[in-house]
């Protein structure tokens, strides 16, 4: 379930496409605005009726500082929308640390009890060792799936979700000092 696109990603992409359209596309051409400004006292329906703008020039308005400012604001709104949608999707996809702990205790603890490494002691699953060997979450996942040194590859035994859960559990425990 976690391997597909984030929920709402299509909605965010569609919203971004709409919001990032050039602002000039939503502004009446200069000639139309000039004609419409002469319609003081007219109702909005009369001012914006097709017959009232029929004679207006159809050339797009030149991009000026005002429309560039609107474009920047719309881009900011679009990016904020995308980040808020994907941020919520990420929270829904958080690793299951309880499952990670169960998998770790059933498969990994024989060699890595308490975050230690009984085969190569300097490569313990501890924050200090992770810093020294530049190990991050993705590297932990890669080692779990593909093995390294004496550690067997578990990618054929564990699902992607289980490897993700174990990697997140190991990283969270390393930061807590395996307490």
């Amino acid at each position: 379930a976690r391997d597909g696109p984030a929920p709402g990603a299509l909605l965010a992409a569609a919203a971004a496409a709409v919001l990032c359209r050039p602002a000039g596309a939503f502004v009446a051409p200069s000639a139309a605005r000039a004609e419409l400004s002469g319609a003081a006292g007219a109702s909005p329906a009369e001012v914006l009726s097709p017959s009232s703008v029929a004679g207006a020039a159809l050339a797009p308005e030149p991009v000026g500082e005002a429309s560039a400012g609107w474009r920047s604001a719309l881009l900011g709104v679009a990016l904020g929308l995308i980040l808020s949608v994907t941020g919520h999707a990420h929270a829904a996809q958080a690793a299951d640390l309880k499952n990670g702990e169960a998998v770790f205790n059933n498969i990994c603890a024989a060699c890595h009890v308490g975050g230690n490494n009984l085969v190569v002691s300097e490569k313990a699953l501890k924050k200090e060792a992770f810093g020294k060997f530049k190990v991050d979450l993705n590297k932990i996942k890669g080692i779990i799936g593909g093995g390294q040194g004496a550690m067997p590859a578990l990618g054929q035994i564990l699902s992607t979700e289980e490897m993700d859960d174990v990697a997140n559990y190991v990283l969270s425990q390393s930061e807590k000092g395996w307490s």
Side-chain angles (χ1 to χ4, degrees), residues 26-119:
F26 299 106
V27 177
S30 300
R33 282 201 314 272
E35 283 184 25
L36 294 176
S37 65
S43 72
E46 292 171 334
V47 171
L48 297 176
S49 71
S51 61
S52 68
V53 293
L58 297 178
E61 177 172 310
V63 176
E65 290 181 33
S67 63
W70 278 106
R71 223 182 319 255
S72 297
L74 289 173
L75 180 60
V77 169
L79 291 174
L81 177 64
I82 291 169
L83 291 174
S84 69
V85 169
T86 57
H88 290 285
H90 179 70
Q93 297 176 354
D96 183 346
L97 295 180
K98 292 244 183 245
N99 184 50
E101 180 180 19
V103 172
F104 182 88
N105 288 334
N106 289 328
I107 296 175
C108 312
C111 295
H112 296 289
V113 65
N116 294 306
N117 185 328
L118 302 179
V119 179

